[in-house]
Amino acid sequence: MRISGDHQFIGQVDVPGDKSESHRVILISALSDGISRISDLSNGEDVARTLAGVEALGVSTSTDTSGVTVSGGLHLPHGGVTLDLGNSGTGLRLMVGAVAGRGPGSVTFTGDESLTLRPMDRITSPLSQMGAHFRGSGERQGLPLVVTAPTELTGISYDVPVPSAQVKGAILFAGLGATSVTTVREKVDTRQATEELLGNAGVAITETRDSSGARVLTLEPGVPQAREWSVSRDPSQAAFFLVAGALSPSGCIRIENLVRDPARWGFLDVIERSGARVVRSDDGRVIEVSHGTVLPFTTDGAEIVGLDEVPILTVWAIMANGTSTFINVGELRHKEVDRLAACAEMATLFGATASIDGDNLQIVGIGGPPSQQPSIGWRHDHRMVMASAITASLGAGCHLEHPEAVNSSFPTFYDALDSLR
Ligand code: S3P
């Protein structure tokens, strides 16, 4: 696909429903004891896989123009079942947790080439401690992964070693079906979608801070209440256009109805202190970003919780005049592709200089829009493909390989991009 250059990023953009919330409201509704209505669900393939997954586990769903209806009662069919989660790491990890708590029974999980290679030991380790059994491929429990859920799962007290909202979520979803209380402790605050949405569904979950400041979540086993959900817009998809608005001369982008969770907005702090003009509504759900200056930055991975916005911040680093540094971003190696290498490659293809030193990434920017027109793309990485398209549209264009990768999270991405010429 040809992406043209010289876009004007001025206007209001609509982005899909939040992917994190979407996976979780589907699972909470599927684990509930009634009928839930969900509006503004993400229209990406990842979330469609989660919906198809709960259907294969006995949940009936129906979709019309106003949203999706999901009936509770998720159960593991006799004789087992195989679920294909495609490209979706979040859907997979959360669903493995949900399944582990609904035993007895067994489910086999598969996925695409990228998902097959991603480490699942980060969830199988705590879930094994709770009493579930796993048979995955290789040391890191890759796909195909057979999950055998016991009749009785025991709650645990678990310190999440690498900050991860997916791991926290998997344990809490499993904990709903346990016979005792589950406690999860995280040193770095990760996104709060699981605990917030479970609380909204009437589940007894409390949050405290221990003496070191770590967040401790305590969950009682229980059945979520069915209810009406309205999913907020996804900050990580908004990031592509908000950052583009700040990079484009006279750019100004406004996006409404966004998720408020502070753990999602680290990227906005980074560009604000690097020269972007940012206006936030009082409730934090409407953001407007306009062009100011484009200074290089230094950020620690803990500021970009989950690291989903590193690809679009790399675009900023490419266009800044000077050296930008991402510190402690080694976890990028375990995303849809090795995003540490991919970000460095993208920067280089657009004319910047990039180097990786251990878990740090340094980019010397070109101080303006790129003039290169590379052929670029990653077959299994929606965020790298979108970041590449944004870089090209601010510069001289590119040939985009695997444009279809955006379908996993943002099927209308190119329409939104085309509307901003
Ligand atoms: C997500 C958590 C993050 C993020 C992913 C969505 C979630 O992953 O990268 O896109 O919804 O829980 P980690 O849990 O690996 O940080």
PDB file of all heavy atoms in Angstrom, residues 19-20 23-24 90 93-94 118 122 163-167 191 305-308 331 335-336 339 383, ligand 1:
ATOM      1  N   LYS A  19      -9.065  -1.568  23.673  1.00  0.00           N
ATOM      2  CA  LYS A  19      -8.841  -3.015  23.510  1.00  0.00           C
ATOM      3  C   LYS A  19      -8.780  -3.694  24.877  1.00  0.00           C
ATOM      4  O   LYS A  19      -9.358  -4.759  25.074  1.00  0.00           O
ATOM      5  CB  LYS A  19      -7.517  -3.216  22.752  1.00  0.00           C
ATOM      6  CG  LYS A  19      -7.391  -4.534  22.052  1.00  0.00           C
ATOM      7  CD  LYS A  19      -6.523  -4.410  20.807  1.00  0.00           C
ATOM      8  CE  LYS A  19      -5.065  -4.202  21.108  1.00  0.00           C
ATOM      9  NZ  LYS A  19      -4.406  -5.417  21.621  1.00  0.00           N
ATOM     10  N   SER A  20      -8.087  -3.078  25.829  1.00  0.00           N
ATOM     11  CA  SER A  20      -7.969  -3.690  27.163  1.00  0.00           C
ATOM     12  C   SER A  20      -9.338  -3.846  27.815  1.00  0.00           C
ATOM     13  O   SER A  20      -9.680  -4.904  28.356  1.00  0.00           O
ATOM     14  CB  SER A  20      -7.079  -2.824  28.061  1.00  0.00           C
ATOM     15  OG  SER A  20      -5.780  -2.793  27.553  1.00  0.00           O
ATOM     16  N   HIS A  23     -11.628  -6.668  25.842  1.00  0.00           N
ATOM     17  CA  HIS A  23     -11.390  -8.083  26.190  1.00  0.00           C
ATOM     18  C   HIS A  23     -12.006  -8.384  27.558  1.00  0.00           C
ATOM     19  O   HIS A  23     -12.628  -9.425  27.769  1.00  0.00           O
ATOM     20  CB  HIS A  23      -9.883  -8.359  26.326  1.00  0.00           C
ATOM     21  CG  HIS A  23      -9.126  -8.391  25.038  1.00  0.00           C
ATOM     22  ND1 HIS A  23      -9.374  -9.285  24.026  1.00  0.00           N
ATOM     23  CD2 HIS A  23      -8.080  -7.647  24.608  1.00  0.00           C
ATOM     24  CE1 HIS A  23      -8.522  -9.084  23.026  1.00  0.00           C
ATOM     25  NE2 HIS A  23      -7.727  -8.093  23.360  1.00  0.00           N
ATOM     26  N   ARG A  24     -11.797  -7.466  28.488  1.00  0.00           N
ATOM     27  CA  ARG A  24     -12.210  -7.735  29.872  1.00  0.00           C
ATOM     28  C   ARG A  24     -13.718  -7.708  30.045  1.00  0.00           C
ATOM     29  O   ARG A  24     -14.270  -8.531  30.776  1.00  0.00           O
ATOM     30  CB  ARG A  24     -11.520  -6.752  30.815  1.00  0.00           C
ATOM     31  CG  ARG A  24     -10.013  -7.058  30.961  1.00  0.00           C
ATOM     32  CD  ARG A  24      -9.257  -5.891  31.528  1.00  0.00           C
ATOM     33  NE  ARG A  24      -7.867  -6.196  31.863  1.00  0.00           N
ATOM     34  CZ  ARG A  24      -6.841  -6.123  31.009  1.00  0.00           C
ATOM     35  NH1 ARG A  24      -7.026  -5.771  29.745  1.00  0.00           N
ATOM     36  NH2 ARG A  24      -5.614  -6.409  31.410  1.00  0.00           N
ATOM     37  N   THR A  90      -3.087 -10.292  24.730  1.00  0.00           N
ATOM     38  CA  THR A  90      -3.932  -9.948  25.876  1.00  0.00           C
ATOM     39  C   THR A  90      -5.117 -10.905  25.967  1.00  0.00           C
ATOM     40  O   THR A  90      -5.411 -11.459  27.037  1.00  0.00           O
ATOM     41  CB  THR A  90      -4.436  -8.489  25.754  1.00  0.00           C
ATOM     42  OG1 THR A  90      -3.312  -7.628  25.599  1.00  0.00           O
ATOM     43  CG2 THR A  90      -5.220  -8.074  26.975  1.00  0.00           C
ATOM     44  N   ARG A  93      -3.850 -14.364  27.218  1.00  0.00           N
ATOM     45  CA  ARG A  93      -3.428 -14.483  28.621  1.00  0.00           C
ATOM     46  C   ARG A  93      -4.623 -14.333  29.563  1.00  0.00           C
ATOM     47  O   ARG A  93      -4.741 -15.054  30.557  1.00  0.00           O
ATOM     48  CB  ARG A  93      -2.330 -13.463  28.917  1.00  0.00           C
ATOM     49  CG  ARG A  93      -1.027 -13.831  28.173  1.00  0.00           C
ATOM     50  CD  ARG A  93       0.125 -12.943  28.553  1.00  0.00           C
ATOM     51  NE  ARG A  93       1.375 -13.408  27.947  1.00  0.00           N
ATOM     52  CZ  ARG A  93       2.164 -12.669  27.179  1.00  0.00           C
ATOM     53  NH1 ARG A  93       1.846 -11.414  26.900  1.00  0.00           N
ATOM     54  NH2 ARG A  93       3.279 -13.165  26.677  1.00  0.00           N
ATOM     55  N   LEU A  94      -5.528 -13.412  29.244  1.00  0.00           N
ATOM     56  CA  LEU A  94      -6.692 -13.246  30.129  1.00  0.00           C
ATOM     57  C   LEU A  94      -7.601 -14.470  30.047  1.00  0.00           C
ATOM     58  O   LEU A  94      -8.136 -14.941  31.058  1.00  0.00           O
ATOM     59  CB  LEU A  94      -7.491 -11.995  29.737  1.00  0.00           C
ATOM     60  CG  LEU A  94      -6.770 -10.652  29.877  1.00  0.00           C
ATOM     61  CD1 LEU A  94      -7.675  -9.518  29.398  1.00  0.00           C
ATOM     62  CD2 LEU A  94      -6.332 -10.391  31.322  1.00  0.00           C
ATOM     63  N   ARG A 118       5.385 -16.205  21.649  1.00  0.00           N
ATOM     64  CA  ARG A 118       5.439 -15.332  22.834  1.00  0.00           C
ATOM     65  C   ARG A 118       5.433 -16.158  24.126  1.00  0.00           C
ATOM     66  O   ARG A 118       4.797 -17.210  24.198  1.00  0.00           O
ATOM     67  CB  ARG A 118       4.277 -14.327  22.797  1.00  0.00           C
ATOM     68  CG  ARG A 118       4.464 -13.365  21.632  1.00  0.00           C
ATOM     69  CD  ARG A 118       3.354 -12.361  21.510  1.00  0.00           C
ATOM     70  NE  ARG A 118       3.395 -11.359  22.568  1.00  0.00           N
ATOM     71  CZ  ARG A 118       2.517 -10.365  22.661  1.00  0.00           C
ATOM     72  NH1 ARG A 118       1.535 -10.250  21.774  1.00  0.00           N
ATOM     73  NH2 ARG A 118       2.611  -9.484  23.628  1.00  0.00           N
ATOM     74  N   ARG A 122       4.974 -16.619  32.026  1.00  0.00           N
ATOM     75  CA  ARG A 122       4.642 -15.566  33.002  1.00  0.00           C
ATOM     76  C   ARG A 122       3.242 -15.732  33.579  1.00  0.00           C
ATOM     77  O   ARG A 122       2.967 -15.253  34.669  1.00  0.00           O
ATOM     78  CB  ARG A 122       4.832 -14.180  32.370  1.00  0.00           C
ATOM     79  CG  ARG A 122       4.040 -13.948  31.108  1.00  0.00           C
ATOM     80  CD  ARG A 122       4.377 -12.623  30.457  1.00  0.00           C
ATOM     81  NE  ARG A 122       5.775 -12.500  30.088  1.00  0.00           N
ATOM     82  CZ  ARG A 122       6.368 -11.364  29.721  1.00  0.00           C
ATOM     83  NH1 ARG A 122       5.655 -10.263  29.636  1.00  0.00           N
ATOM     84  NH2 ARG A 122       7.633 -11.331  29.409  1.00  0.00           N
ATOM     85  N   PRO A 163       6.362  -6.018  35.662  1.00  0.00           N
ATOM     86  CA  PRO A 163       5.056  -5.358  35.650  1.00  0.00           C
ATOM     87  C   PRO A 163       4.257  -5.752  34.409  1.00  0.00           C
ATOM     88  O   PRO A 163       4.760  -5.632  33.300  1.00  0.00           O
ATOM     89  CB  PRO A 163       5.403  -3.860  35.586  1.00  0.00           C
ATOM     90  CG  PRO A 163       6.846  -3.745  35.931  1.00  0.00           C
ATOM     91  CD  PRO A 163       7.480  -5.073  35.707  1.00  0.00           C
ATOM     92  N   SER A 164       3.048  -6.261  34.614  1.00  0.00           N
ATOM     93  CA  SER A 164       2.225  -6.680  33.476  1.00  0.00           C
ATOM     94  C   SER A 164       0.762  -6.718  33.869  1.00  0.00           C
ATOM     95  O   SER A 164       0.360  -7.470  34.753  1.00  0.00           O
ATOM     96  CB  SER A 164       2.666  -8.061  32.992  1.00  0.00           C
ATOM     97  OG  SER A 164       1.682  -8.597  32.132  1.00  0.00           O
ATOM     98  N   ALA A 165      -0.041  -5.920  33.162  1.00  0.00           N
ATOM     99  CA  ALA A 165      -1.484  -5.922  33.412  1.00  0.00           C
ATOM    100  C   ALA A 165      -2.121  -7.223  32.929  1.00  0.00           C
ATOM    101  O   ALA A 165      -3.161  -7.634  33.424  1.00  0.00           O
ATOM    102  CB  ALA A 165      -2.119  -4.732  32.709  1.00  0.00           C
ATOM    103  N   GLN A 166      -1.470  -7.857  31.952  1.00  0.00           N
ATOM    104  CA  GLN A 166      -2.017  -9.129  31.470  1.00  0.00           C
ATOM    105  C   GLN A 166      -1.846 -10.217  32.524  1.00  0.00           C
ATOM    106  O   GLN A 166      -2.759 -11.018  32.762  1.00  0.00           O
ATOM    107  CB  GLN A 166      -1.292  -9.555  30.190  1.00  0.00           C
ATOM    108  CG  GLN A 166      -1.567  -8.638  29.015  1.00  0.00           C
ATOM    109  CD  GLN A 166      -0.734  -8.988  27.799  1.00  0.00           C
ATOM    110  OE1 GLN A 166       0.115  -9.871  27.839  1.00  0.00           O
ATOM    111  NE2 GLN A 166      -0.976  -8.285  26.704  1.00  0.00           N
ATOM    112  N   VAL A 167      -0.692 -10.237  33.159  1.00  0.00           N
ATOM    113  CA  VAL A 167      -0.442 -11.257  34.186  1.00  0.00           C
ATOM    114  C   VAL A 167      -1.363 -11.010  35.379  1.00  0.00           C
ATOM    115  O   VAL A 167      -2.024 -11.927  35.888  1.00  0.00           O
ATOM    116  CB  VAL A 167       1.048 -11.250  34.601  1.00  0.00           C
ATOM    117  CG1 VAL A 167       1.291 -12.170  35.782  1.00  0.00           C
ATOM    118  CG2 VAL A 167       1.921 -11.651  33.420  1.00  0.00           C
ATOM    119  N   ARG A 191      -1.879  -0.794  34.070  1.00  0.00           N
ATOM    120  CA  ARG A 191      -3.240  -0.318  33.786  1.00  0.00           C
ATOM    121  C   ARG A 191      -4.260  -1.008  34.684  1.00  0.00           C
ATOM    122  O   ARG A 191      -4.112  -2.179  35.042  1.00  0.00           O
ATOM    123  CB  ARG A 191      -3.587  -0.486  32.311  1.00  0.00           C
ATOM    124  CG  ARG A 191      -3.651  -1.894  31.839  1.00  0.00           C
ATOM    125  CD  ARG A 191      -3.765  -1.952  30.335  1.00  0.00           C
ATOM    126  NE  ARG A 191      -2.539  -1.516  29.698  1.00  0.00           N
ATOM    127  CZ  ARG A 191      -2.409  -1.235  28.413  1.00  0.00           C
ATOM    128  NH1 ARG A 191      -3.425  -1.316  27.600  1.00  0.00           N
ATOM    129  NH2 ARG A 191      -1.247  -0.857  27.914  1.00  0.00           N
ATOM    130  N   VAL A 305       3.863   2.736  30.656  1.00  0.00           N
ATOM    131  CA  VAL A 305       3.437   1.455  31.222  1.00  0.00           C
ATOM    132  C   VAL A 305       2.851   0.550  30.123  1.00  0.00           C
ATOM    133  O   VAL A 305       1.926   0.955  29.415  1.00  0.00           O
ATOM    134  CB  VAL A 305       2.364   1.678  32.311  1.00  0.00           C
ATOM    135  CG1 VAL A 305       2.038   0.371  33.008  1.00  0.00           C
ATOM    136  CG2 VAL A 305       2.826   2.723  33.305  1.00  0.00           C
ATOM    137  N   GLY A 306       3.418  -0.642  29.968  1.00  0.00           N
ATOM    138  CA  GLY A 306       2.956  -1.566  28.927  1.00  0.00           C
ATOM    139  C   GLY A 306       3.722  -1.381  27.619  1.00  0.00           C
ATOM    140  O   GLY A 306       3.691  -2.243  26.752  1.00  0.00           O
ATOM    141  N   LEU A 307       4.348  -0.239  27.448  1.00  0.00           N
ATOM    142  CA  LEU A 307       5.233   0.078  26.312  1.00  0.00           C
ATOM    143  C   LEU A 307       4.532   0.152  24.957  1.00  0.00           C
ATOM    144  O   LEU A 307       5.198   0.193  23.918  1.00  0.00           O
ATOM    145  CB  LEU A 307       6.404  -0.929  26.243  1.00  0.00           C
ATOM    146  CG  LEU A 307       7.275  -1.037  27.494  1.00  0.00           C
ATOM    147  CD1 LEU A 307       8.372  -2.095  27.287  1.00  0.00           C
ATOM    148  CD2 LEU A 307       7.918   0.297  27.857  1.00  0.00           C
ATOM    149  N   ASP A 308       3.205   0.184  24.948  1.00  0.00           N
ATOM    150  CA  ASP A 308       2.496   0.184  23.662  1.00  0.00           C
ATOM    151  C   ASP A 308       2.766   1.438  22.836  1.00  0.00           C
ATOM    152  O   ASP A 308       2.591   1.432  21.618  1.00  0.00           O
ATOM    153  CB  ASP A 308       0.980   0.062  23.881  1.00  0.00           C
ATOM    154  CG  ASP A 308       0.589  -1.314  24.375  1.00  0.00           C
ATOM    155  OD1 ASP A 308       1.441  -2.222  24.343  1.00  0.00           O
ATOM    156  OD2 ASP A 308      -0.573  -1.483  24.789  1.00  0.00           O
ATOM    157  N   GLU A 331      11.445  -5.287  27.660  1.00  0.00           N
ATOM    158  CA  GLU A 331      10.202  -6.051  27.496  1.00  0.00           C
ATOM    159  C   GLU A 331       9.645  -5.947  26.068  1.00  0.00           C
ATOM    160  O   GLU A 331       8.843  -6.782  25.642  1.00  0.00           O
ATOM    161  CB  GLU A 331       9.141  -5.520  28.475  1.00  0.00           C
ATOM    162  CG  GLU A 331       8.969  -6.335  29.732  1.00  0.00           C
ATOM    163  CD  GLU A 331       8.412  -7.730  29.466  1.00  0.00           C
ATOM    164  OE1 GLU A 331       7.326  -7.849  28.883  1.00  0.00           O
ATOM    165  OE2 GLU A 331       9.064  -8.708  29.843  1.00  0.00           O
ATOM    166  N   LYS A 335       6.930  -8.467  22.568  1.00  0.00           N
ATOM    167  CA  LYS A 335       5.646  -8.021  22.006  1.00  0.00           C
ATOM    168  C   LYS A 335       5.364  -8.794  20.715  1.00  0.00           C
ATOM    169  O   LYS A 335       5.981  -9.827  20.468  1.00  0.00           O
ATOM    170  CB  LYS A 335       5.674  -6.510  21.789  1.00  0.00           C
ATOM    171  CG  LYS A 335       5.869  -5.711  23.092  1.00  0.00           C
ATOM    172  CD  LYS A 335       4.677  -5.834  24.032  1.00  0.00           C
ATOM    173  CE  LYS A 335       4.864  -4.990  25.282  1.00  0.00           C
ATOM    174  NZ  LYS A 335       3.754  -5.092  26.221  1.00  0.00           N
ATOM    175  N   GLU A 336       4.469  -8.279  19.877  1.00  0.00           N
ATOM    176  CA  GLU A 336       4.041  -9.022  18.681  1.00  0.00           C
ATOM    177  C   GLU A 336       5.225  -9.402  17.785  1.00  0.00           C
ATOM    178  O   GLU A 336       5.221 -10.438  17.116  1.00  0.00           O
ATOM    179  CB  GLU A 336       3.021  -8.203  17.886  1.00  0.00           C
ATOM    180  CG  GLU A 336       1.614  -8.217  18.466  1.00  0.00           C
ATOM    181  CD  GLU A 336       1.397  -7.244  19.618  1.00  0.00           C
ATOM    182  OE1 GLU A 336       2.379  -6.836  20.293  1.00  0.00           O
ATOM    183  OE2 GLU A 336       0.228  -6.894  19.864  1.00  0.00           O
ATOM    184  N   ARG A 339       9.989  -5.662  19.250  1.00  0.00           N
ATOM    185  CA  ARG A 339       9.775  -4.241  18.940  1.00  0.00           C
ATOM    186  C   ARG A 339      10.980  -3.364  19.265  1.00  0.00           C
ATOM    187  O   ARG A 339      11.048  -2.235  18.788  1.00  0.00           O
ATOM    188  CB  ARG A 339       8.560  -3.702  19.706  1.00  0.00           C
ATOM    189  CG  ARG A 339       7.294  -3.858  18.953  1.00  0.00           C
ATOM    190  CD  ARG A 339       6.150  -3.060  19.583  1.00  0.00           C
ATOM    191  NE  ARG A 339       4.907  -3.615  19.091  1.00  0.00           N
ATOM    192  CZ  ARG A 339       3.783  -3.657  19.773  1.00  0.00           C
ATOM    193  NH1 ARG A 339       3.721  -3.165  20.993  1.00  0.00           N
ATOM    194  NH2 ARG A 339       2.694  -4.173  19.242  1.00  0.00           N
ATOM    195  N   ARG A 383       1.086  -2.146  15.679  1.00  0.00           N
ATOM    196  CA  ARG A 383       1.599  -0.837  16.141  1.00  0.00           C
ATOM    197  C   ARG A 383       2.806  -0.378  15.327  1.00  0.00           C
ATOM    198  O   ARG A 383       2.968   0.813  15.061  1.00  0.00           O
ATOM    199  CB  ARG A 383       1.941  -0.886  17.631  1.00  0.00           C
ATOM    200  CG  ARG A 383       0.708  -1.120  18.504  1.00  0.00           C
ATOM    201  CD  ARG A 383       0.976  -0.873  19.970  1.00  0.00           C
ATOM    202  NE  ARG A 383       0.084  -1.677  20.797  1.00  0.00           N
ATOM    203  CZ  ARG A 383      -1.191  -1.398  21.040  1.00  0.00           C
ATOM    204  NH1 ARG A 383      -1.747  -0.314  20.557  1.00  0.00           N
ATOM    205  NH2 ARG A 383      -1.928  -2.196  21.803  1.00  0.00           N
TER     206      ARG A 383
HETATM  207  C1  S3P B   1      -2.373  -5.014  28.094  1.00  0.00           C
HETATM  208  C2  S3P B   1      -1.210  -4.976  28.781  1.00  0.00           C
HETATM  209  C3  S3P B   1       0.093  -4.612  28.199  1.00  0.00           C
HETATM  210  C4  S3P B   1      -0.048  -4.045  26.804  1.00  0.00           C
HETATM  211  C5  S3P B   1      -1.074  -4.754  25.980  1.00  0.00           C
HETATM  212  C6  S3P B   1      -2.433  -4.665  26.658  1.00  0.00           C
HETATM  213  C7  S3P B   1      -3.617  -5.394  28.793  1.00  0.00           C
HETATM  214  O1  S3P B   1       0.912  -5.771  28.133  1.00  0.00           O
HETATM  215  O2  S3P B   1       1.190  -4.080  26.128  1.00  0.00           O
HETATM  216  O3  S3P B   1      -1.190  -4.164  24.701  1.00  0.00           O
HETATM  217  O4  S3P B   1      -4.713  -5.107  28.288  1.00  0.00           O
HETATM  218  O5  S3P B   1      -3.509  -5.984  29.875  1.00  0.00           O
HETATM  219  P1  S3P B   1       1.761  -6.285  29.411  1.00  0.00           P
HETATM  220  O6  S3P B   1       0.806  -6.826  30.385  1.00  0.00           O
HETATM  221  O7  S3P B   1       2.642  -7.347  28.822  1.00  0.00           O
HETATM  222  O8  S3P B   1       2.523  -5.105  29.887  1.00  0.00           O
END
